[in-house]
Amino acid sequence: MTAADLQDTVLHSTMQKLPSLYGLRAVSIVIVILAHITRFSIPTNQDVMLRIPIFNGQFGVTVFFLISGFLITSLLLQEEERAGSISLKDFYIRRVLRIFPAYYFLLLVCFVLQLLGYLSISSAAWITSLTYTKYLNPRAEFYTGHAWSLSIEENFYLFWPFILMLGDKIRKEATVYLIFVVPIVRLYVHFYPVEWINDLSIFTRIDSIAMGCFLALYKKELLAKLKPHWNSFFYGSLILLFLLPWLEYASTNTPLSLFFILFGGVSGTIASGLIAIILLYSVYGPRGNWYRMLNTKAFNYIGVLSYSLYLWQQLFVLKRPWWVTHFPQNIFMIFLTAMFSYYVIERPFLRLKSKFSGKKRVLNAPTHPSPAPIPPQPTPLHHS
């Protein structure tokens, strides 16, 4: 089997075992792009738009974080179950091959555009962009500012596999601690501001990734409670998600505002819990209209491109004198550059990445028999 064949097998297997994830990634990236277009390209009333989750980019990123934590933790647990251990070396090689090529190619393009006089990126912004610490100064400039979310994920996955290897009790406790320590940090920095901790910081947003990890670790228990009432939990979560920003607004200058300082709005801890229910419903719930929509070819394709779309949209959503930054042609340019990135830059590394797949490792380890095979990490997914 060639590397390309193995990649296709992994992709197909993952779609069979964890359906709807591409579709959810598509929903997430569409929300991010819609939010940026309606904020930077088309004049809109942001006071209203930001209170509608589908036009709130922070909400879209929170969904990304949940999917990332759930997917990567699930796949590492599956590798551990079948092979008896987690290969840290293979995991970090896969991360590098998936994330680095497209990201650093984007930075190279930004560097060239700066040399040509089209962009102006400060030294401080370059340092945090190159070192995956963008969450320290996400608003230093616009064109690399969106790397704050990527830097949070990469920093999280520097230590998370080590926690997973400490055993079931410790890793489960760790997710709970991470989820509940973030509201305390939010409360502290609200009353005692810290210059390098903001609403786009790993210290105030890590609860979303931890919530995804929590889902993977407690999946059986959660599904047992949710399955008898799937529709009630699903529709209830959707309604609450759309009500949250309005409740947060209504609570301004009231004692209830402390609740939203602690647990946030559509990008906070409560929202993460609601998104978690929707994620489980999408993957394991009834295969009705919602499921069918998420698993259409269009949603799957956008989901495959989601990482590339997220990287490149930042160059085109801010309206400038250049034609390519004007709506609607900027939408076309976002997809065009994302497709170039995926097919020309990323795919060769994805084929190489398949050599370090957990599936291949298990196939070469017959001394650890396992039941029916579970898919390894799917290379096309964003940040995975």
Short mmCIF file of all heavy atoms in Angstrom, two decimals, residues 187-245:
data_model
loop_
_atom_site.label_atom_id
_atom_site.label_comp_id
_atom_site.label_asym_id
_atom_site.label_seq_id
_atom_site.Cartn_x
_atom_site.Cartn_y
_atom_site.Cartn_z
N LEU A 187 -12.09 35.75 35.98
CA LEU A 187 -12.53 36.65 37.05
C LEU A 187 -11.38 37.49 37.58
O LEU A 187 -11.52 38.70 37.78
CB LEU A 187 -13.14 35.81 38.19
CG LEU A 187 -13.76 36.60 39.35
CD1 LEU A 187 -14.98 37.38 38.87
CD2 LEU A 187 -14.13 35.65 40.49
N TYR A 188 -10.22 36.85 37.76
CA TYR A 188 -9.06 37.56 38.29
C TYR A 188 -8.62 38.68 37.35
O TYR A 188 -8.42 39.82 37.77
CB TYR A 188 -7.91 36.59 38.53
CG TYR A 188 -6.67 37.27 39.07
CD1 TYR A 188 -6.52 37.49 40.44
CD2 TYR A 188 -5.65 37.70 38.22
CE1 TYR A 188 -5.40 38.13 40.94
CE2 TYR A 188 -4.53 38.35 38.70
CZ TYR A 188 -4.42 38.56 40.07
OH TYR A 188 -3.30 39.20 40.56
N VAL A 189 -8.46 38.35 36.05
CA VAL A 189 -7.94 39.36 35.12
C VAL A 189 -8.97 40.44 34.83
O VAL A 189 -8.62 41.53 34.36
CB VAL A 189 -7.43 38.72 33.80
CG1 VAL A 189 -6.29 37.76 34.06
CG2 VAL A 189 -8.57 38.00 33.06
N HIS A 190 -10.25 40.14 35.10
CA HIS A 190 -11.26 41.20 34.94
C HIS A 190 -11.05 42.29 35.99
O HIS A 190 -11.15 43.48 35.66
CB HIS A 190 -12.65 40.61 35.07
CG HIS A 190 -13.75 41.63 34.99
ND1 HIS A 190 -14.21 42.14 33.79
CD2 HIS A 190 -14.47 42.26 35.97
CE1 HIS A 190 -15.16 43.02 34.03
NE2 HIS A 190 -15.34 43.12 35.34
N PHE A 191 -10.79 41.88 37.22
CA PHE A 191 -10.62 42.86 38.30
C PHE A 191 -9.16 43.30 38.48
O PHE A 191 -8.91 44.40 38.98
CB PHE A 191 -11.15 42.28 39.61
CG PHE A 191 -12.64 42.13 39.62
CD1 PHE A 191 -13.22 40.87 39.49
CD2 PHE A 191 -13.47 43.22 39.75
CE1 PHE A 191 -14.60 40.72 39.50
CE2 PHE A 191 -14.85 43.09 39.76
CZ PHE A 191 -15.43 41.83 39.63
N TYR A 192 -8.22 42.44 38.06
CA TYR A 192 -6.80 42.78 38.16
C TYR A 192 -6.14 42.50 36.81
O TYR A 192 -5.51 41.46 36.62
CB TYR A 192 -6.12 41.96 39.27
CG TYR A 192 -6.79 42.10 40.61
CD1 TYR A 192 -7.71 41.14 41.05
CD2 TYR A 192 -6.52 43.19 41.43
CE1 TYR A 192 -8.33 41.26 42.29
CE2 TYR A 192 -7.14 43.32 42.67
CZ TYR A 192 -8.04 42.36 43.10
OH TYR A 192 -8.66 42.49 44.32
N PRO A 193 -6.31 43.38 35.85
CA PRO A 193 -5.82 43.14 34.48
C PRO A 193 -4.33 42.81 34.42
O PRO A 193 -3.51 43.39 35.14
CB PRO A 193 -6.12 44.46 33.77
CG PRO A 193 -7.22 45.09 34.56
CD PRO A 193 -6.96 44.69 35.99
N VAL A 194 -4.03 41.85 33.57
CA VAL A 194 -2.65 41.45 33.29
C VAL A 194 -2.41 41.71 31.81
O VAL A 194 -3.18 41.23 30.96
CB VAL A 194 -2.41 39.95 33.60
CG1 VAL A 194 -0.98 39.56 33.27
CG2 VAL A 194 -2.73 39.66 35.07
N GLU A 195 -1.39 42.46 31.49
CA GLU A 195 -1.18 42.94 30.13
C GLU A 195 -1.13 41.82 29.10
O GLU A 195 -1.66 41.94 27.99
CB GLU A 195 0.10 43.77 30.06
CG GLU A 195 0.35 44.40 28.69
CD GLU A 195 1.61 45.25 28.67
OE1 GLU A 195 2.25 45.39 29.72
OE2 GLU A 195 1.96 45.75 27.59
N TRP A 196 -0.49 40.70 29.43
CA TRP A 196 -0.28 39.63 28.46
C TRP A 196 -1.33 38.52 28.55
O TRP A 196 -1.21 37.48 27.91
CB TRP A 196 1.12 39.03 28.60
CG TRP A 196 1.51 38.72 30.03
CD1 TRP A 196 2.09 39.58 30.92
CD2 TRP A 196 1.34 37.47 30.71
NE1 TRP A 196 2.29 38.95 32.13
CE2 TRP A 196 1.85 37.66 32.02
CE3 TRP A 196 0.83 36.24 30.34
CZ2 TRP A 196 1.85 36.65 32.97
CZ3 TRP A 196 0.83 35.21 31.29
CH2 TRP A 196 1.34 35.43 32.59
N ILE A 197 -2.39 38.73 29.35
CA ILE A 197 -3.52 37.80 29.39
C ILE A 197 -4.77 38.55 28.95
O ILE A 197 -5.15 39.55 29.55
CB ILE A 197 -3.74 37.21 30.80
CG1 ILE A 197 -2.49 36.44 31.26
CG2 ILE A 197 -4.95 36.29 30.79
CD1 ILE A 197 -2.64 35.84 32.65
N ASN A 198 -5.39 38.08 27.88
CA ASN A 198 -6.57 38.75 27.32
C ASN A 198 -7.61 37.70 26.94
O ASN A 198 -7.45 36.51 27.26
CB ASN A 198 -6.16 39.60 26.11
CG ASN A 198 -5.36 38.79 25.11
OD1 ASN A 198 -5.87 37.85 24.50
ND2 ASN A 198 -4.08 39.13 24.95
N ASP A 199 -8.64 38.13 26.26
CA ASP A 199 -9.71 37.20 25.88
C ASP A 199 -9.31 36.23 24.79
O ASP A 199 -10.07 35.31 24.46
CB ASP A 199 -10.96 37.99 25.45
CG ASP A 199 -10.68 38.90 24.27
OD1 ASP A 199 -9.59 39.49 24.20
OD2 ASP A 199 -11.57 39.03 23.39
N LEU A 200 -8.13 36.41 24.20
CA LEU A 200 -7.62 35.49 23.18
C LEU A 200 -6.39 34.74 23.70
O LEU A 200 -5.55 34.31 22.92
CB LEU A 200 -7.25 36.27 21.90
CG LEU A 200 -8.37 37.12 21.29
CD1 LEU A 200 -7.87 37.79 20.01
CD2 LEU A 200 -9.62 36.30 21.01
N SER A 201 -6.30 34.59 25.00
CA SER A 201 -5.13 33.98 25.62
C SER A 201 -5.37 32.51 25.92
O SER A 201 -6.51 32.07 26.15
CB SER A 201 -4.79 34.72 26.92
OG SER A 201 -3.85 34.00 27.69
N ILE A 202 -4.32 31.73 25.96
CA ILE A 202 -4.43 30.32 26.32
C ILE A 202 -5.00 30.17 27.72
O ILE A 202 -5.70 29.21 28.02
CB ILE A 202 -3.05 29.63 26.21
CG1 ILE A 202 -3.20 28.11 26.38
CG2 ILE A 202 -2.05 30.21 27.22
CD1 ILE A 202 -1.94 27.34 26.10
N PHE A 203 -4.77 31.15 28.58
CA PHE A 203 -5.22 31.07 29.97
C PHE A 203 -6.72 31.35 30.13
O PHE A 203 -7.29 31.02 31.16
CB PHE A 203 -4.42 32.06 30.82
CG PHE A 203 -2.93 31.88 30.70
CD1 PHE A 203 -2.17 32.77 29.94
CD2 PHE A 203 -2.29 30.81 31.31
CE1 PHE A 203 -0.80 32.59 29.81
CE2 PHE A 203 -0.93 30.63 31.18
CZ PHE A 203 -0.17 31.53 30.42
N THR A 204 -7.32 31.92 29.11
CA THR A 204 -8.76 32.20 29.17
C THR A 204 -9.57 31.42 28.14
O THR A 204 -10.80 31.52 28.13
CB THR A 204 -9.02 33.71 28.95
OG1 THR A 204 -8.46 34.11 27.71
CG2 THR A 204 -8.42 34.53 30.08
N ARG A 205 -8.90 30.63 27.31
CA ARG A 205 -9.62 29.90 26.26
C ARG A 205 -9.32 28.40 26.26
O ARG A 205 -9.93 27.65 25.50
CB ARG A 205 -9.26 30.47 24.88
CG ARG A 205 -9.68 31.91 24.68
CD ARG A 205 -11.18 32.12 24.79
NE ARG A 205 -11.89 31.50 23.70
CZ ARG A 205 -12.17 32.13 22.55
NH1 ARG A 205 -11.80 33.38 22.37
NH2 ARG A 205 -12.82 31.50 21.60
N ILE A 206 -8.43 27.95 27.12
CA ILE A 206 -8.03 26.54 27.09
C ILE A 206 -9.16 25.62 27.54
O ILE A 206 -9.14 24.41 27.27
CB ILE A 206 -6.76 26.32 27.96
CG1 ILE A 206 -6.02 25.05 27.52
CG2 ILE A 206 -7.11 26.29 29.44
CD1 ILE A 206 -4.69 24.88 28.21
N ASP A 207 -10.17 26.18 28.21
CA ASP A 207 -11.29 25.35 28.66
C ASP A 207 -12.04 24.72 27.50
O ASP A 207 -12.61 23.62 27.64
CB ASP A 207 -12.23 26.15 29.55
CG ASP A 207 -12.77 27.40 28.88
OD1 ASP A 207 -12.10 27.93 27.97
OD2 ASP A 207 -13.86 27.87 29.29
N SER A 208 -12.06 25.39 26.35
CA SER A 208 -12.77 24.84 25.18
C SER A 208 -12.09 23.58 24.66
O SER A 208 -12.77 22.59 24.35
CB SER A 208 -12.84 25.89 24.08
OG SER A 208 -13.53 27.03 24.50
N ILE A 209 -10.76 23.60 24.56
CA ILE A 209 -10.05 22.39 24.12
C ILE A 209 -10.20 21.30 25.17
O ILE A 209 -10.42 20.13 24.85
CB ILE A 209 -8.57 22.70 23.86
CG1 ILE A 209 -8.41 23.85 22.88
CG2 ILE A 209 -7.86 21.46 23.31
CD1 ILE A 209 -6.97 24.24 22.61
N ALA A 210 -10.07 21.70 26.45
CA ALA A 210 -10.21 20.72 27.53
C ALA A 210 -11.59 20.09 27.53
O ALA A 210 -11.74 18.90 27.86
CB ALA A 210 -9.92 21.39 28.87
N MET A 211 -12.61 20.86 27.16
CA MET A 211 -13.97 20.31 27.08
C MET A 211 -14.04 19.22 26.01
O MET A 211 -14.71 18.20 26.20
CB MET A 211 -14.97 21.41 26.77
CG MET A 211 -16.43 20.98 26.82
SD MET A 211 -17.02 20.62 28.49
CE MET A 211 -17.24 22.30 29.13
N GLY A 212 -13.36 19.43 24.87
CA GLY A 212 -13.31 18.40 23.85
C GLY A 212 -12.61 17.15 24.35
O GLY A 212 -13.05 16.02 24.08
N CYS A 213 -11.53 17.34 25.10
CA CYS A 213 -10.82 16.19 25.70
C CYS A 213 -11.72 15.47 26.69
O CYS A 213 -11.75 14.23 26.76
CB CYS A 213 -9.55 16.66 26.40
SG CYS A 213 -8.38 17.53 25.33
N PHE A 214 -12.47 16.24 27.47
CA PHE A 214 -13.42 15.68 28.44
C PHE A 214 -14.44 14.79 27.74
O PHE A 214 -14.78 13.70 28.22
CB PHE A 214 -14.11 16.84 29.17
CG PHE A 214 -15.14 16.42 30.18
CD1 PHE A 214 -14.79 16.17 31.50
CD2 PHE A 214 -16.48 16.28 29.82
CE1 PHE A 214 -15.74 15.79 32.44
CE2 PHE A 214 -17.43 15.91 30.75
CZ PHE A 214 -17.07 15.67 32.07
N LEU A 215 -14.94 15.24 26.59
CA LEU A 215 -15.90 14.44 25.81
C LEU A 215 -15.31 13.09 25.44
O LEU A 215 -15.98 12.06 25.54
CB LEU A 215 -16.29 15.17 24.54
CG LEU A 215 -17.23 16.36 24.62
CD1 LEU A 215 -17.62 16.79 23.21
CD2 LEU A 215 -18.45 16.05 25.44
N ALA A 216 -14.07 13.10 24.98
CA ALA A 216 -13.43 11.85 24.56
C ALA A 216 -13.23 10.91 25.74
O ALA A 216 -13.40 9.69 25.61
CB ALA A 216 -12.09 12.16 23.88
N LEU A 217 -12.88 11.45 26.90
CA LEU A 217 -12.58 10.62 28.07
C LEU A 217 -13.84 10.09 28.74
O LEU A 217 -13.84 9.01 29.32
CB LEU A 217 -11.77 11.44 29.08
CG LEU A 217 -10.34 11.78 28.64
CD1 LEU A 217 -9.73 12.82 29.57
CD2 LEU A 217 -9.47 10.54 28.60
N TYR A 218 -14.92 10.85 28.69
CA TYR A 218 -16.18 10.46 29.34
C TYR A 218 -17.27 10.14 28.33
O TYR A 218 -18.46 10.21 28.65
CB TYR A 218 -16.66 11.59 30.26
CG TYR A 218 -15.86 11.76 31.52
CD1 TYR A 218 -14.79 12.66 31.57
CD2 TYR A 218 -16.16 11.04 32.68
CE1 TYR A 218 -14.05 12.84 32.73
CE2 TYR A 218 -15.44 11.21 33.84
CZ TYR A 218 -14.38 12.11 33.86
OH TYR A 218 -13.65 12.28 35.02
N LYS A 219 -16.89 9.77 27.13
CA LYS A 219 -17.85 9.57 26.05
C LYS A 219 -18.94 8.56 26.40
O LYS A 219 -20.13 8.84 26.22
CB LYS A 219 -17.12 9.13 24.78
CG LYS A 219 -18.04 8.94 23.58
CD LYS A 219 -17.24 8.44 22.38
CE LYS A 219 -16.74 7.02 22.60
NZ LYS A 219 -16.02 6.49 21.42
N LYS A 220 -18.56 7.42 26.91
CA LYS A 220 -19.56 6.38 27.20
C LYS A 220 -20.57 6.84 28.24
O LYS A 220 -21.78 6.63 28.08
CB LYS A 220 -18.85 5.11 27.68
CG LYS A 220 -18.05 4.40 26.60
CD LYS A 220 -17.40 3.13 27.13
CE LYS A 220 -16.60 2.43 26.04
NZ LYS A 220 -15.94 1.20 26.55
N GLU A 221 -20.08 7.46 29.30
CA GLU A 221 -20.97 7.93 30.35
C GLU A 221 -21.91 9.02 29.84
O GLU A 221 -23.11 9.03 30.15
CB GLU A 221 -20.16 8.46 31.54
CG GLU A 221 -19.31 7.42 32.25
CD GLU A 221 -17.91 7.28 31.66
OE1 GLU A 221 -17.74 7.63 30.47
OE2 GLU A 221 -17.02 6.83 32.37
N LEU A 222 -21.37 9.93 29.05
CA LEU A 222 -22.18 11.03 28.51
C LEU A 222 -23.24 10.52 27.54
O LEU A 222 -24.40 10.96 27.57
CB LEU A 222 -21.28 12.06 27.84
CG LEU A 222 -20.35 12.85 28.76
CD1 LEU A 222 -19.34 13.65 27.95
CD2 LEU A 222 -21.17 13.79 29.65
N LEU A 223 -22.85 9.62 26.66
CA LEU A 223 -23.81 9.08 25.69
C LEU A 223 -24.94 8.33 26.38
O LEU A 223 -26.10 8.40 25.94
CB LEU A 223 -23.10 8.16 24.69
CG LEU A 223 -22.17 8.85 23.68
CD1 LEU A 223 -21.47 7.82 22.81
CD2 LEU A 223 -22.95 9.84 22.82
N ALA A 224 -24.61 7.63 27.46
CA ALA A 224 -25.65 6.89 28.19
C ALA A 224 -26.72 7.84 28.74
O ALA A 224 -27.91 7.50 28.80
CB ALA A 224 -25.02 6.08 29.32
N LYS A 225 -26.31 9.03 29.15
CA LYS A 225 -27.25 10.00 29.71
C LYS A 225 -27.99 10.78 28.62
O LYS A 225 -29.15 11.18 28.80
CB LYS A 225 -26.52 10.97 30.63
CG LYS A 225 -25.95 10.32 31.89
CD LYS A 225 -25.27 11.34 32.77
CE LYS A 225 -24.69 10.70 34.02
NZ LYS A 225 -25.71 10.05 34.88
N LEU A 226 -27.31 11.01 27.49
CA LEU A 226 -27.89 11.85 26.45
C LEU A 226 -28.83 11.09 25.51
O LEU A 226 -29.84 11.65 25.06
CB LEU A 226 -26.78 12.50 25.61
CG LEU A 226 -25.90 13.53 26.32
CD1 LEU A 226 -24.74 13.94 25.41
CD2 LEU A 226 -26.70 14.75 26.71
N LYS A 227 -28.51 9.84 25.21
CA LYS A 227 -29.25 9.11 24.18
C LYS A 227 -30.76 9.04 24.41
O LYS A 227 -31.54 9.16 23.46
CB LYS A 227 -28.66 7.71 24.01
CG LYS A 227 -27.41 7.69 23.14
CD LYS A 227 -26.91 6.28 22.90
CE LYS A 227 -25.71 6.28 21.96
NZ LYS A 227 -25.22 4.91 21.69
N PRO A 228 -31.21 8.84 25.64
CA PRO A 228 -32.68 8.76 25.82
C PRO A 228 -33.40 10.07 25.54
O PRO A 228 -34.62 10.08 25.37
CB PRO A 228 -32.82 8.37 27.31
CG PRO A 228 -31.51 7.77 27.69
CD PRO A 228 -30.49 8.51 26.87
N HIS A 229 -32.66 11.18 25.49
CA HIS A 229 -33.29 12.49 25.30
C HIS A 229 -32.54 13.30 24.25
O HIS A 229 -32.36 14.51 24.41
CB HIS A 229 -33.33 13.25 26.63
CG HIS A 229 -33.81 12.44 27.79
ND1 HIS A 229 -35.15 12.12 27.98
CD2 HIS A 229 -33.13 11.86 28.81
CE1 HIS A 229 -35.28 11.40 29.08
NE2 HIS A 229 -34.08 11.22 29.60
N TRP A 230 -32.10 12.67 23.17
CA TRP A 230 -31.25 13.32 22.18
C TRP A 230 -31.83 14.65 21.71
O TRP A 230 -31.17 15.69 21.76
CB TRP A 230 -31.06 12.41 20.97
CG TRP A 230 -29.83 11.56 20.97
CD1 TRP A 230 -29.77 10.23 20.66
CD2 TRP A 230 -28.48 11.95 21.25
NE1 TRP A 230 -28.47 9.77 20.73
CE2 TRP A 230 -27.66 10.81 21.09
CE3 TRP A 230 -27.88 13.15 21.62
CZ2 TRP A 230 -26.27 10.83 21.29
CZ3 TRP A 230 -26.50 13.17 21.82
CH2 TRP A 230 -25.73 12.04 21.66
N ASN A 231 -33.04 14.63 21.21
CA ASN A 231 -33.60 15.83 20.60
C ASN A 231 -33.77 16.96 21.60
O ASN A 231 -33.53 18.13 21.28
CB ASN A 231 -34.94 15.51 19.94
CG ASN A 231 -34.77 14.69 18.67
OD1 ASN A 231 -33.72 14.75 18.02
ND2 ASN A 231 -35.78 13.93 18.31
N SER A 232 -34.16 16.64 22.82
CA SER A 232 -34.32 17.68 23.83
C SER A 232 -33.00 18.35 24.13
O SER A 232 -32.92 19.59 24.22
CB SER A 232 -34.90 17.07 25.12
OG SER A 232 -36.19 16.54 24.89
N PHE A 233 -31.94 17.57 24.29
CA PHE A 233 -30.62 18.13 24.57
C PHE A 233 -30.11 18.94 23.37
O PHE A 233 -29.54 20.02 23.54
CB PHE A 233 -29.63 17.02 24.91
CG PHE A 233 -29.69 16.57 26.34
CD1 PHE A 233 -30.18 15.32 26.68
CD2 PHE A 233 -29.25 17.41 27.36
CE1 PHE A 233 -30.24 14.90 28.00
CE2 PHE A 233 -29.31 17.01 28.69
CZ PHE A 233 -29.80 15.75 29.01
N PHE A 234 -30.31 18.42 22.18
CA PHE A 234 -29.79 19.09 20.98
C PHE A 234 -30.47 20.43 20.76
O PHE A 234 -29.81 21.48 20.66
CB PHE A 234 -29.98 18.18 19.75
CG PHE A 234 -29.61 18.84 18.45
CD1 PHE A 234 -28.30 19.17 18.17
CD2 PHE A 234 -30.59 19.13 17.50
CE1 PHE A 234 -27.95 19.78 16.97
CE2 PHE A 234 -30.25 19.73 16.29
CZ PHE A 234 -28.93 20.06 16.03
N TYR A 235 -31.79 20.43 20.68
CA TYR A 235 -32.51 21.67 20.41
C TYR A 235 -32.41 22.65 21.59
O TYR A 235 -32.34 23.87 21.39
CB TYR A 235 -33.96 21.38 20.06
CG TYR A 235 -34.12 20.69 18.73
CD1 TYR A 235 -34.52 19.37 18.64
CD2 TYR A 235 -33.82 21.37 17.54
CE1 TYR A 235 -34.65 18.73 17.41
CE2 TYR A 235 -33.95 20.74 16.31
CZ TYR A 235 -34.35 19.42 16.25
OH TYR A 235 -34.47 18.80 15.05
N GLY A 236 -32.38 22.10 22.79
CA GLY A 236 -32.19 22.96 23.96
C GLY A 236 -30.85 23.66 23.93
O GLY A 236 -30.75 24.86 24.25
N SER A 237 -29.81 22.94 23.53
CA SER A 237 -28.47 23.53 23.44
C SER A 237 -28.40 24.61 22.37
O SER A 237 -27.80 25.67 22.57
CB SER A 237 -27.42 22.44 23.15
OG SER A 237 -27.37 21.50 24.21
N LEU A 238 -29.03 24.35 21.21
CA LEU A 238 -29.06 25.35 20.15
C LEU A 238 -29.75 26.63 20.60
O LEU A 238 -29.26 27.75 20.39
CB LEU A 238 -29.77 24.79 18.92
CG LEU A 238 -28.98 23.88 17.99
CD1 LEU A 238 -29.88 23.39 16.85
CD2 LEU A 238 -27.76 24.59 17.41
N ILE A 239 -30.90 26.47 21.24
CA ILE A 239 -31.66 27.65 21.70
C ILE A 239 -30.84 28.44 22.72
O ILE A 239 -30.76 29.67 22.65
CB ILE A 239 -33.01 27.20 22.29
CG1 ILE A 239 -33.91 26.65 21.18
CG2 ILE A 239 -33.70 28.37 23.01
CD1 ILE A 239 -35.16 25.96 21.70
N LEU A 240 -30.23 27.74 23.68
CA LEU A 240 -29.44 28.43 24.71
C LEU A 240 -28.24 29.15 24.11
O LEU A 240 -27.87 30.25 24.56
CB LEU A 240 -28.99 27.43 25.77
CG LEU A 240 -30.07 26.99 26.77
CD1 LEU A 240 -29.53 25.90 27.69
CD2 LEU A 240 -30.55 28.18 27.59
N LEU A 241 -27.62 28.54 23.09
CA LEU A 241 -26.48 29.18 22.45
C LEU A 241 -26.87 30.52 21.82
O LEU A 241 -26.12 31.50 21.89
CB LEU A 241 -25.88 28.27 21.38
CG LEU A 241 -24.86 27.24 21.85
CD1 LEU A 241 -24.44 26.32 20.70
CD2 LEU A 241 -23.62 27.90 22.44
N PHE A 242 -28.04 30.56 21.22
CA PHE A 242 -28.49 31.80 20.59
C PHE A 242 -29.01 32.81 21.62
O PHE A 242 -29.00 34.02 21.35
CB PHE A 242 -29.57 31.50 19.54
CG PHE A 242 -29.02 31.08 18.22
CD1 PHE A 242 -28.67 29.77 17.97
CD2 PHE A 242 -28.80 32.02 17.22
CE1 PHE A 242 -28.14 29.38 16.74
CE2 PHE A 242 -28.26 31.65 15.98
CZ PHE A 242 -27.93 30.33 15.75
N LEU A 243 -29.41 32.32 22.79
CA LEU A 243 -29.88 33.23 23.84
C LEU A 243 -28.72 33.80 24.66
O LEU A 243 -28.84 34.93 25.19
CB LEU A 243 -30.85 32.50 24.78
CG LEU A 243 -32.26 32.21 24.24
CD1 LEU A 243 -33.05 31.42 25.28
CD2 LEU A 243 -32.98 33.51 23.90
N LEU A 244 -27.63 33.06 24.77
CA LEU A 244 -26.53 33.47 25.65
C LEU A 244 -26.05 34.90 25.43
O LEU A 244 -25.95 35.67 26.40
CB LEU A 244 -25.35 32.50 25.50
CG LEU A 244 -25.22 31.35 26.50
CD1 LEU A 244 -23.99 30.53 26.20
CD2 LEU A 244 -25.17 31.87 27.93
N PRO A 245 -25.72 35.29 24.19
CA PRO A 245 -25.20 36.66 24.01
C PRO A 245 -26.21 37.74 24.38
O PRO A 245 -25.83 38.81 24.85
CB PRO A 245 -24.84 36.72 22.53
CG PRO A 245 -25.59 35.62 21.88
CD PRO A 245 -25.73 34.55 22.91
#
